[in-house]
Amino acid sequence: MYEDQQKQVFDLWVSEEQMPTMRLSLQALDVLHTEKTEYQHLAIVDTMPFGRVLFLDGIIQTTVKDEFVYHEMITHPALNTHGSPKNVLVIGGGDGGAIREILKYPTVEKATLVEIDEKVVKYSKKYLPEISFALNDPKVEVRFEDGIKHVAGHKGVYDVITVDSPDPIGPAVGLFARDFYQNIFEALTDDGIFVAQTESPWFNRDLIARVYKDISSIFPITRLMLAYIPSYPGGMWSFTMGSKKYDPLDFDESKFPGYKTRYYTPKIHKAAFALPPFVEELLK
Ligand code: SAM
Protein backbone atom coordinates (compact mmCIF):
# COMPACT_ATOMS: atom_id res chain seq x y z
CA MET A 1 0.00 0.00 0.00
CA TYR A 2 1.32 3.46 -0.91
CA GLU A 3 1.93 5.88 1.91
CA ASP A 4 -0.63 8.40 0.71
CA GLN A 5 -3.27 5.69 0.35
CA GLN A 6 -3.12 4.40 3.90
CA LYS A 7 -6.51 4.22 5.50
CA GLN A 8 -7.11 6.43 8.53
CA VAL A 9 -8.59 5.03 11.71
CA PHE A 10 -11.29 7.73 11.45
CA ASP A 11 -13.50 6.12 8.80
CA LEU A 12 -15.26 9.05 7.10
CA TRP A 13 -16.06 8.74 3.38
CA VAL A 14 -17.49 11.11 0.80
CA SER A 15 -19.06 9.75 -2.39
CA GLU A 16 -19.84 11.33 -5.72
CA GLU A 17 -22.67 9.69 -7.63
CA GLN A 18 -21.02 9.89 -11.04
CA MET A 19 -23.97 8.08 -12.60
CA PRO A 20 -27.04 6.42 -11.05
CA THR A 21 -25.13 3.11 -11.11
CA MET A 22 -21.58 4.33 -10.41
CA ARG A 23 -19.95 6.12 -7.48
CA LEU A 24 -16.49 7.42 -6.61
CA SER A 25 -15.78 7.25 -2.87
CA LEU A 26 -12.94 9.15 -1.24
CA GLN A 27 -11.78 8.78 2.32
CA ALA A 28 -12.23 12.15 3.99
CA LEU A 29 -10.08 13.81 6.63
CA ASP A 30 -12.23 16.87 7.28
CA VAL A 31 -15.29 18.69 5.99
CA LEU A 32 -14.10 22.30 5.71
CA HIS A 33 -17.30 23.96 4.56
CA THR A 34 -20.81 23.11 3.40
CA GLU A 35 -23.50 25.55 2.38
CA LYS A 36 -26.63 25.76 0.26
CA THR A 37 -25.91 28.86 -1.84
CA GLU A 38 -28.46 30.73 -3.95
CA TYR A 39 -27.54 28.45 -6.88
CA GLN A 40 -26.26 25.11 -5.60
CA HIS A 41 -24.97 23.01 -2.69
CA LEU A 42 -21.29 23.79 -2.09
CA ALA A 43 -18.89 21.60 -0.10
CA ILE A 44 -15.15 21.68 0.39
CA VAL A 45 -13.78 18.44 1.80
CA ASP A 46 -10.20 17.47 2.62
CA THR A 47 -9.70 13.94 1.26
CA MET A 48 -6.94 11.35 1.47
CA PRO A 49 -6.47 10.61 -2.25
CA PHE A 50 -6.99 14.07 -3.78
CA GLY A 51 -6.37 16.62 -1.01
CA ARG A 52 -8.98 19.40 -0.83
CA VAL A 53 -11.93 18.88 -3.17
CA LEU A 54 -14.62 21.35 -4.26
CA PHE A 55 -18.04 19.73 -4.72
CA LEU A 56 -21.06 21.49 -6.23
CA ASP A 57 -24.37 19.66 -5.91
CA GLY A 58 -22.38 16.60 -4.84
CA ILE A 59 -20.24 16.61 -8.01
CA ILE A 60 -16.45 17.01 -7.96
CA GLN A 61 -15.42 20.28 -9.64
CA THR A 62 -11.76 20.39 -8.85
CA THR A 63 -9.19 18.76 -6.57
CA VAL A 64 -5.85 20.05 -5.38
CA LYS A 65 -4.11 16.90 -6.65
CA ASP A 66 -5.22 16.78 -10.31
CA GLU A 67 -6.61 20.29 -11.05
CA PHE A 68 -3.54 21.27 -13.08
CA VAL A 69 -4.46 18.86 -15.90
CA TYR A 70 -7.89 20.37 -16.38
CA HIS A 71 -6.84 24.00 -15.93
CA GLU A 72 -3.83 23.75 -18.25
CA MET A 73 -5.82 21.98 -20.96
CA ILE A 74 -8.79 24.36 -20.84
CA THR A 75 -6.43 27.30 -21.43
CA HIS A 76 -3.01 26.64 -23.04
CA PRO A 77 -4.07 24.87 -26.27
CA ALA A 78 -6.44 27.74 -27.12
CA LEU A 79 -4.13 30.56 -25.98
CA ASN A 80 -1.12 29.14 -27.83
CA THR A 81 -3.17 28.52 -30.96
CA HIS A 82 -4.16 32.18 -30.91
CA GLY A 83 -0.61 33.33 -30.29
CA SER A 84 -1.18 36.84 -28.93
CA PRO A 85 -4.32 36.91 -26.78
CA LYS A 86 -4.96 40.23 -25.05
CA ASN A 87 -8.52 40.10 -23.78
CA VAL A 88 -9.62 36.74 -22.36
CA LEU A 89 -12.94 35.67 -20.81
CA VAL A 90 -13.59 32.73 -18.49
CA ILE A 91 -17.20 31.70 -17.93
CA GLY A 92 -17.76 29.73 -14.70
CA GLY A 93 -14.37 28.74 -13.30
CA GLY A 94 -14.93 30.41 -9.90
CA ASP A 95 -12.12 28.32 -8.38
CA GLY A 96 -9.67 30.53 -10.32
CA GLY A 97 -7.54 27.76 -11.86
CA ALA A 98 -8.16 28.79 -15.48
CA ILE A 99 -7.39 32.43 -14.63
CA ARG A 100 -4.10 31.36 -13.00
CA GLU A 101 -3.00 29.70 -16.28
CA ILE A 102 -4.20 32.59 -18.50
CA LEU A 103 -2.09 35.07 -16.54
CA LYS A 104 1.06 33.16 -17.55
CA TYR A 105 0.76 34.90 -20.96
CA PRO A 106 2.43 38.32 -20.94
CA THR A 107 0.31 39.39 -23.93
CA VAL A 108 -2.84 39.14 -21.78
CA GLU A 109 -3.88 42.63 -20.73
CA LYS A 110 -7.17 41.70 -19.15
CA ALA A 111 -8.80 38.47 -17.92
CA THR A 112 -12.48 38.59 -17.02
CA LEU A 113 -14.09 35.89 -14.88
CA VAL A 114 -17.87 35.66 -15.10
CA GLU A 115 -19.05 33.35 -12.32
CA ILE A 116 -22.70 33.11 -11.35
CA ASP A 117 -22.10 32.11 -7.73
CA GLU A 118 -20.15 34.51 -5.52
CA LYS A 119 -19.79 31.81 -2.84
CA VAL A 120 -17.65 29.61 -5.13
CA VAL A 121 -15.08 32.41 -5.39
CA LYS A 122 -15.31 33.24 -1.68
CA TYR A 123 -14.65 29.68 -0.47
CA SER A 124 -12.11 28.85 -3.20
CA LYS A 125 -10.11 31.87 -2.01
CA LYS A 126 -10.38 30.69 1.58
CA TYR A 127 -9.74 26.95 1.19
CA LEU A 128 -8.08 26.46 -2.23
CA PRO A 129 -5.43 29.24 -2.33
CA GLU A 130 -3.07 27.31 -4.60
CA ILE A 131 -5.80 27.26 -7.27
CA SER A 132 -7.44 30.64 -6.67
CA PHE A 133 -4.56 33.02 -5.86
CA ALA A 134 -4.51 34.70 -9.30
CA LEU A 135 -8.04 36.02 -8.79
CA ASN A 136 -6.49 38.89 -6.82
CA ASP A 137 -4.27 39.98 -9.74
CA PRO A 138 -4.92 43.55 -10.97
CA LYS A 139 -5.38 42.27 -14.56
CA VAL A 140 -8.39 40.22 -13.41
CA GLU A 141 -11.97 41.45 -13.25
CA VAL A 142 -14.37 39.14 -11.40
CA ARG A 143 -18.05 39.63 -12.23
CA PHE A 144 -20.84 37.77 -10.48
CA GLU A 145 -23.36 37.32 -13.24
CA ASP A 146 -24.78 34.76 -15.65
CA GLY A 147 -22.25 33.93 -18.38
CA ILE A 148 -25.07 33.37 -20.87
CA LYS A 149 -26.27 36.97 -20.47
CA HIS A 150 -22.70 38.29 -20.43
CA VAL A 151 -21.76 36.88 -23.85
CA ALA A 152 -25.09 37.97 -25.33
CA GLY A 153 -24.24 41.56 -24.32
CA HIS A 154 -20.64 41.68 -25.65
CA LYS A 155 -19.81 41.71 -29.36
CA GLY A 156 -16.37 41.33 -30.97
CA VAL A 157 -14.33 41.93 -27.83
CA TYR A 158 -12.66 38.72 -26.62
CA ASP A 159 -9.65 37.00 -28.24
CA VAL A 160 -10.21 33.78 -26.28
CA ILE A 161 -13.26 32.56 -24.36
CA THR A 162 -12.98 29.60 -21.98
CA VAL A 163 -16.18 27.92 -20.84
CA ASP A 164 -15.15 26.34 -17.54
CA SER A 165 -18.59 25.01 -16.67
CA PRO A 166 -19.89 22.28 -14.40
CA ASP A 167 -21.97 19.41 -15.80
CA PRO A 168 -25.06 20.57 -17.72
CA ILE A 169 -27.38 20.86 -14.74
CA GLY A 170 -29.01 23.86 -12.99
CA PRO A 171 -27.68 27.26 -14.16
CA ALA A 172 -25.14 25.51 -16.42
CA VAL A 173 -27.67 23.87 -18.79
CA GLY A 174 -27.60 26.90 -21.11
CA LEU A 175 -23.77 26.75 -21.28
CA PHE A 176 -24.14 23.70 -23.56
CA ALA A 177 -26.78 25.22 -25.89
CA ARG A 178 -26.41 26.19 -29.56
CA ASP A 179 -27.67 29.76 -28.96
CA PHE A 180 -24.92 30.23 -26.39
CA TYR A 181 -22.25 29.07 -28.88
CA GLN A 182 -23.65 31.49 -31.46
CA ASN A 183 -23.36 34.34 -28.94
CA ILE A 184 -19.81 33.24 -28.11
CA PHE A 185 -18.94 33.42 -31.82
CA GLU A 186 -20.22 36.99 -31.88
CA ALA A 187 -18.45 37.95 -28.64
CA LEU A 188 -15.09 36.93 -30.16
CA THR A 189 -12.78 39.08 -32.26
CA ASP A 190 -12.27 38.17 -35.95
CA ASP A 191 -9.50 35.69 -35.11
CA GLY A 192 -11.01 34.56 -31.81
CA ILE A 193 -11.05 31.05 -30.33
CA PHE A 194 -13.23 29.42 -27.73
CA VAL A 195 -12.87 26.22 -25.74
CA ALA A 196 -15.29 24.40 -23.47
CA GLN A 197 -15.08 21.36 -21.23
CA THR A 198 -17.40 18.85 -22.89
CA GLU A 199 -17.60 15.92 -20.47
CA SER A 200 -16.75 12.22 -20.72
CA PRO A 201 -16.36 10.31 -24.01
CA TRP A 202 -17.45 7.19 -22.09
CA PHE A 203 -20.53 8.46 -20.30
CA ASN A 204 -21.72 11.62 -22.12
CA ARG A 205 -21.55 10.47 -25.72
CA ASP A 206 -24.82 12.00 -26.92
CA LEU A 207 -23.86 15.35 -25.39
CA ILE A 208 -20.43 15.38 -27.06
CA ALA A 209 -21.92 14.48 -30.45
CA ARG A 210 -24.59 17.19 -30.15
CA VAL A 211 -22.19 19.89 -28.90
CA TYR A 212 -19.62 19.11 -31.62
CA LYS A 213 -22.34 19.30 -34.30
CA ASP A 214 -23.64 22.62 -32.93
CA ILE A 215 -20.17 24.18 -32.70
CA SER A 216 -19.20 22.97 -36.20
CA SER A 217 -22.34 24.56 -37.60
CA ILE A 218 -21.13 27.95 -36.28
CA PHE A 219 -17.29 27.94 -36.34
CA PRO A 220 -15.19 27.29 -39.48
CA ILE A 221 -12.73 25.19 -37.41
CA THR A 222 -13.92 22.78 -34.70
CA ARG A 223 -11.63 20.34 -32.84
CA LEU A 224 -12.07 17.91 -29.98
CA MET A 225 -9.19 17.10 -27.64
CA LEU A 226 -8.68 14.73 -24.72
CA ALA A 227 -6.94 14.85 -21.35
CA TYR A 228 -6.74 12.49 -18.38
CA ILE A 229 -8.18 13.64 -15.06
CA PRO A 230 -8.48 10.88 -12.45
CA SER A 231 -11.16 12.52 -10.29
CA TYR A 232 -13.60 12.88 -13.23
CA PRO A 233 -15.86 9.99 -14.30
CA GLY A 234 -13.82 7.50 -16.30
CA GLY A 235 -10.68 9.67 -16.20
CA MET A 236 -10.68 10.49 -19.93
CA TRP A 237 -12.14 13.98 -20.47
CA SER A 238 -13.06 15.97 -23.58
CA PHE A 239 -12.70 19.63 -24.51
CA THR A 240 -14.12 21.16 -27.69
CA MET A 241 -12.55 24.13 -29.42
CA GLY A 242 -14.21 26.44 -31.95
CA SER A 243 -11.94 28.79 -33.89
CA LYS A 244 -12.58 31.53 -36.45
CA LYS A 245 -9.15 31.56 -38.08
CA TYR A 246 -6.36 29.53 -36.45
CA ASP A 247 -6.31 25.73 -36.48
CA PRO A 248 -4.93 24.22 -33.24
CA LEU A 249 -3.50 21.37 -35.34
CA ASP A 250 -1.18 23.88 -37.10
CA PHE A 251 0.44 24.92 -33.80
CA ASP A 252 4.15 25.46 -34.34
CA GLU A 253 6.00 23.76 -31.45
CA SER A 254 8.99 26.07 -31.82
CA LYS A 255 6.75 29.04 -30.92
CA PHE A 256 5.84 27.60 -27.49
CA PRO A 257 6.82 30.32 -25.03
CA GLY A 258 7.81 27.70 -22.42
CA TYR A 259 5.66 28.66 -19.45
CA LYS A 260 5.95 26.40 -16.44
CA THR A 261 3.32 23.69 -16.71
CA ARG A 262 2.84 20.21 -15.22
CA TYR A 263 0.73 18.56 -17.94
CA TYR A 264 0.64 20.71 -21.07
CA THR A 265 3.64 20.75 -23.44
CA PRO A 266 3.84 21.31 -27.21
CA LYS A 267 3.86 17.51 -27.70
CA ILE A 268 0.78 17.12 -25.48
CA HIS A 269 -0.84 19.91 -27.53
CA LYS A 270 -0.48 17.82 -30.70
CA ALA A 271 -1.25 14.49 -29.03
CA ALA A 272 -4.43 15.74 -27.37
CA PHE A 273 -6.14 16.00 -30.77
CA ALA A 274 -5.35 12.36 -31.71
CA LEU A 275 -8.63 10.56 -31.07
CA PRO A 276 -9.31 6.84 -30.69
CA PRO A 277 -11.94 5.58 -33.18
CA PHE A 278 -14.61 5.20 -30.48
CA VAL A 279 -14.31 8.96 -29.86
CA GLU A 280 -13.80 9.96 -33.50
CA GLU A 281 -17.10 8.29 -34.39
CA LEU A 282 -18.93 10.83 -32.20
CA LEU A 283 -17.90 13.60 -34.60
CA LYS A 284 -19.27 12.07 -37.80
N1 SAM B 1 -13.71 22.23 -13.57
C1 SAM B 1 -15.07 22.07 -13.35
C2 SAM B 1 -15.73 20.87 -13.90
O1 SAM B 1 -15.53 20.49 -15.06
O2 SAM B 1 -16.47 20.27 -13.14
C3 SAM B 1 -15.85 23.32 -13.43
C4 SAM B 1 -15.49 24.15 -12.25
S1 SAM B 1 -16.14 25.72 -12.02
C5 SAM B 1 -16.18 25.71 -10.28
C6 SAM B 1 -17.78 25.76 -12.65
C7 SAM B 1 -18.52 27.03 -12.21
O3 SAM B 1 -19.47 27.43 -13.18
C8 SAM B 1 -19.28 26.89 -10.90
O4 SAM B 1 -18.63 27.61 -9.90
C9 SAM B 1 -20.68 27.45 -11.20
O5 SAM B 1 -21.18 28.28 -10.18
C10 SAM B 1 -20.43 28.22 -12.49
N2 SAM B 1 -21.61 28.42 -13.34
C11 SAM B 1 -22.63 27.54 -13.57
N3 SAM B 1 -23.52 28.09 -14.42
C12 SAM B 1 -23.05 29.32 -14.74
C13 SAM B 1 -23.53 30.37 -15.58
N4 SAM B 1 -24.68 30.25 -16.27
N5 SAM B 1 -22.78 31.51 -15.68
C14 SAM B 1 -21.62 31.65 -14.99
N6 SAM B 1 -21.13 30.68 -14.18
C15 SAM B 1 -21.82 29.54 -14.06
Side-chain angles (χ1 to χ4, degrees), residues 40 54 56 60-61 70 91-95 114-117 120 145-148 164-166 171-172 175 197 232:
Q40 52 214 340
L54 169 66
L56 292 177
I60 293 176
Q61 303 295 305
Y70 177 89
I91 293 171
D95 50 65
V114 175
E115 161 63 63
I116 206 164
D117 191 342
V120 175
E145 56 191 39
D146 188 334
I148 298 165
D164 184 1
S165 72
L175 299 177
Q197 76 84 4
Y232 286 178

